[in-house]
């Protein structure tokens, strides 16, 4: 019996000195393994009487059970200590400290796009979405730009194996819009008034003013007696809203196969107010938005009779508008993802 209590005391003493799981496992093998000291006690029982064997055996088994439980407890204890050590080693933070309030911001193009959308919606235009991958028919043919028309040269783009292409202009959605709203115009006399922003692509060598990816917002209005005065009114209203000041506009002739007559819409220079400066090449005007009266062929292709209805279309360069509004000198910054340049607009929206 002394042997048992001695072994128990010895085991307890060693157990308290154990500091990691590897040593603990060694201790377990030393005492409880096949050749361990506790197991050995059972082997040494031969000399004992049957009566003694019973009580001694029971005592040894109790010690065995006790040792196994203590090993399990120690495992728990060591694991807990390990977690506590890890927590203590972690960088401490003060949960009561005020939060870091730096927030992300909308991209400058998103900001101007939303502004334009809101203004046009408030004037009764519907807002349309359109895909970036389109057919040759949508992007060119339906817009009075047949195959081998020289106007295609300026709009080289990325073609897919199936003959589709990344749209070079938001005008590519025009035909679908006429087909969508044309019946309502014809049956109920409700004019088509729609804007459709979108990402456009062209095969360009990039520099401060050219990118292979840019954003436009196309707008159309088609109905009875729609004229250039309507176009001027809507563009002036939208621009005055976006720039938050009264904007003067002027139209110069411009050629686009899908409008007749076609124009370049200029606004008075925002830097010098029109008196002439380096930004406007001393002309007092900045070129902003090509537009025009929709060509009869384009209306006809969209299922609308050009002898009854007329309309205007414009292709506002959102990228250009964002650059003007925010004074961004290099267009490439807009696609760069450089947050330290883009986040200066935080809080704008
Ligand atoms: N789609 C033309 C371009 O990207 C811009 C344009 C010109 C759109 C005249 C129009 C328009 O709707 O009437 O070069």
């Amino acid at each position: 019996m002394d042997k048992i209590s001695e072994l128990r005391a010895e085991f307890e003493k060693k157990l308290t000195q154990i500091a990691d799981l590897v040593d603990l496992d060694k201790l377990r093998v030393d005492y409880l393994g096949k050749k361990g000291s506790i197991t050995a006690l059972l082997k040494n029982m031969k000399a004992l009487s049957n009566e003694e064997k019973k009580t001694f055996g029971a005592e040894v088994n109790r010690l065995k059970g006790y040792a196994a439980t203590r090993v399990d407890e120690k495992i728990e204890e060591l694991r807990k200590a390990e977690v506590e050590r890890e927590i203590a080693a972690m960088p401490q933070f003060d949960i009561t400290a005020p939060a870091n309030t730096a927030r992300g911001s909308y991209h400058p193009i998103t900001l101007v796009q939303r502004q334009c959308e809101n203004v046009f919606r408030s004037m009764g235009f519907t807002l349309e979405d359109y895909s970036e991958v389109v057919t040759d028919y949508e992007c060119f043919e339906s817009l009075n730009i047949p195959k081998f028309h020289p106007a295609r040269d300026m709009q080289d783009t990325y073609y897919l194996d199936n003959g589709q292409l990344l749209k070079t202009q938001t005008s590519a959605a025009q035909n679908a819009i006429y087909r969508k709203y044309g019946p309502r115009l014809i049956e109920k006399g409700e004019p088509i008034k729609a804007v459709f922003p979108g990402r456009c692509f062209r095969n360009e060598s990039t520099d401060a003013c050219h990118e292979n990816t840019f954003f436009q917002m196309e707008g159309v209005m088609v109905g009875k007696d729609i004229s250039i005065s309507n176009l001027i009114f809507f563009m002036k209203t939208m621009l005055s809203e976006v720039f938050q000041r009264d904007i003067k506009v002027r139209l110069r002739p411009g050629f686009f196969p899908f409008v007749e007559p076609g124009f370049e819409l200029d606004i008075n220079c925002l830097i010098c107010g029109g008196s002439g400066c380096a930004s406007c090449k001393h002309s007092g005007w900045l070129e902003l938005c090509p537009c025009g009266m929709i060509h009869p062929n384009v209306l006809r292709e969209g299922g609308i009779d050009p002898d009854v209805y007329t309309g205007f279309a414009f292709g506002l360069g959102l990228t250009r508008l964002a650059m003007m509004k925010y004074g961004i000198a290099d267009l490439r910054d807009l696609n760069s993802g450089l947050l330290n340049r883009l986040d200066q607009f935080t809080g704008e929206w």
Side-chain angles (χ1 to χ4, degrees), residues 155 169 171 174 202 216 218 256 258-259 290-292 313-315:
Q155 301 201 9
Q169 47 184 351
S171 312
Q174 278 195 28
R202 288 191 198 173
Q216 291 184 336
E218 190 90 359
F256 303 94
F258 36 90
V259 281
C291 52
F314 62 86

Side-chain angles (χ1 to χ4, degrees), residues 25 97 201 204 222 272 302 311:
D25 199 52
F201 306 85
E204 294 271 7
V222 183
C272 63

Side-chain angles (χ1 to χ4, degrees), residues 26-207:
K26 267 191 210 137
L27 184 77
R28 185 184 61 77
V29 174
D30 284 351
Y31 282 84
L32 293 165
K34 264 190 200 153
K35 293 178 187 161
S37 337
I38 298 178
T39 324
L41 285 178
L42 292 173
K43 286 180 188 157
N44 293 341
M45 287 201 309
K46 279 175 215 139
L48 300 177
S49 68
N50 274 355
E51 203 45 38
E52 281 169 332
K53 270 184 192 158
K54 238 188 210 166
T55 43
F56 187 79
E59 276 305 308
V60 174
N61 277 334
R62 199 169 300 132
L63 174 60
K64 222 174 157 180
Y66 168 83
T69 314
R70 292 290 290 130
V71 167
D72 286 347
E73 284 170 4
K74 190 75 183 180
I75 290 176
E76 269 311 295
E77 190 187 306
L78 289 175
R79 287 204 174 128
K80 219 168 130 191
E82 168 98 23
V83 171
E84 270 159 18
R85 259 199 312 280
E86 275 172 14
I87 292 175
M90 281 193 331
Q92 298 299 307
F93 59 90
D94 175 3
I95 55 163
T96 62
N100 177 357
T101 50
R103 293 193 304 154
S105 63
Y106 284 111
H107 192 280
I109 292 180
T110 308
L111 294 176
V112 289
Q113 180 179 321
R114 289 198 175 173
Q115 239 164 344
C116 295
E117 286 171 6
N118 285 348
V119 183
F120 277 109
R121 274 208 299 225
S122 73
M123 298 191 290
F125 284 69
T126 61
L127 179 61
E128 310 289 330
D129 194 14
Y130 209 68
S131 67
E132 290 177 348
V133 176
V134 297
T135 60
D136 186 272
Y137 175 79
E138 291 165 289
C139 204
F140 300 121
E141 297 264 342
S142 68
L143 291 165
N144 206 26
I145 312 176
K147 291 220 167 28
F148 310 113
H149 191 291
R152 289 197 181 205
D153 288 353
M154 291 183 304
Q155 301 201 9
D156 184 22
T157 182
Y158 305 90
Y159 285 83
L160 279 70
D161 288 342
N162 64 6
Q164 290 189 312
L165 48 111
L166 298 188
K167 73 168 183 257
T168 59
Q169 47 184 351
T170 41
S171 312
Q174 278 195 28
N175 190 264
I177 302 296
Y178 303 142
R179 300 230 159 250
K180 181 173 173 189
Y181 293 111
R184 203 155 84 190
L185 165 70
I186 294 159
E187 280 155 31
K188 299 191 186 155
E190 284 173 23
I192 302 171
K193 286 165 87 183
V195 283
F196 26 109
R199 188 155 55 159
C200 301
F201 306 85
R202 288 191 198 173
N203 182 7
E204 294 271 7
S205 314
T206 58
D207 62 29

